[in-house]
Amino acid sequence: MIDKIILHCSATREGQDIDIETIREWHIKDRGWRDVGYHYVVKLDGTVQAGRPVGKSGAHCKGENHNIGVCYIGGVDTDMQPKDTRTDEQKDALLELFKEIKEKHPDIKVYGHRDFARKACPSFDAKAEYEDL
C-alpha cells in the first residue's frame, strides 16, 4: 500500500541545473539499477519530470521503495554542505505535485529521506513542512 511520499534532494550544488536524464544515468551506470530510482524529479524551474511509474517499486529509500519517491534538484550549498536550496518554483511545484498525489492516495503523508536513514536529505524537515497537507 502506498502511504508515504518520501522527498529527496539530488545533492547537487545550489543553482546547478540537472534533469531526470542525468539522474537516470547516475542510477543506471554508477549504481547498476534498471532505471532512475525516483517516481518524480522537480527541476529548478519547477518542471516536474516523471521517472518510474507510480505503482512500480522505486529505488530511493531502503524498506520504503513501494512508496512514492520525489527528488528536487539541489540540496547542498557550493561547499557541498546540506542546505535547503529549493527555488520558489520548486516549492510551488512540490506542493502542487503532493496535492495531486493526495487526490489518488488520500491518507498519504510526506516524509524526508532523513526520516528513514542517517542522512541530511532533503536538507530540511519535510515531514514538519508538509504535515498539514
Side-chain angles (χ1 to χ4, degrees):
M1 179 175 109
I2 295 173
D3 62 354
K4 298 176 187 78
I5 297 169
I6 301 174
L7 184 61
H8 304 262
C9 65
S10 62
T12 48
R13 287 182 174 91
E14 186 171 14
Q16 181 183 353
D17 197 16
I18 63 167
D19 62 16
I20 197 166
E21 292 308 319
T22 301
I23 297 173
R24 180 175 276 120
E25 187 175 313
W26 294 343
H27 288 179
I28 293 171
K29 289 185 179 177
D30 298 345
R31 297 188 179 177
W33 297 348
R34 289 180 306 233
D35 195 3
V36 65
Y38 307 115
H39 296 96
Y40 298 98
V41 170
V42 180
K43 294 182 58 173
L44 296 178
D45 67 1
T47 300
V48 177
Q49 297 180 304
R52 290 192 189 200
V54 173
K56 276 198 169 184
S57 188
H60 58 88
C61 185
K62 187 174 183 178
E64 297 292 337
N65 285 321
H66 62 284
N67 286 300
I68 299 173
V70 176
C71 177
Y72 79 90
I73 302 303
V76 296
D77 64 17
T78 55
D79 294 323
M80 297 299 290
Q81 295 302 307
K83 179 183 177 186
D84 179 2
T85 63
R86 291 173 298 155
T87 63
D88 289 340
E89 293 84 1
Q90 284 175 311
K91 289 177 183 180
D92 292 344
L94 285 166
L95 188 56
E96 287 307 308
L97 176 61
F98 296 162
K99 287 178 181 177
E100 287 174 26
I101 292 170
K102 193 160 179 71
E103 286 177 14
K104 294 176 183 147
H105 305 278
D107 296 327
I108 206 160
K109 301 284 185 201
V110 179
Y111 296 86
H113 190 192
R114 72 188 208 162
D115 294 313
F116 303 96
R118 289 184 173 189
K119 298 177 179 265
C121 178
S123 300
F124 71 98
D125 187 349
K127 186 176 176 183
E129 181 156 335
Y130 298 107
E131 71 183 337
D132 294 332
L133 185 65

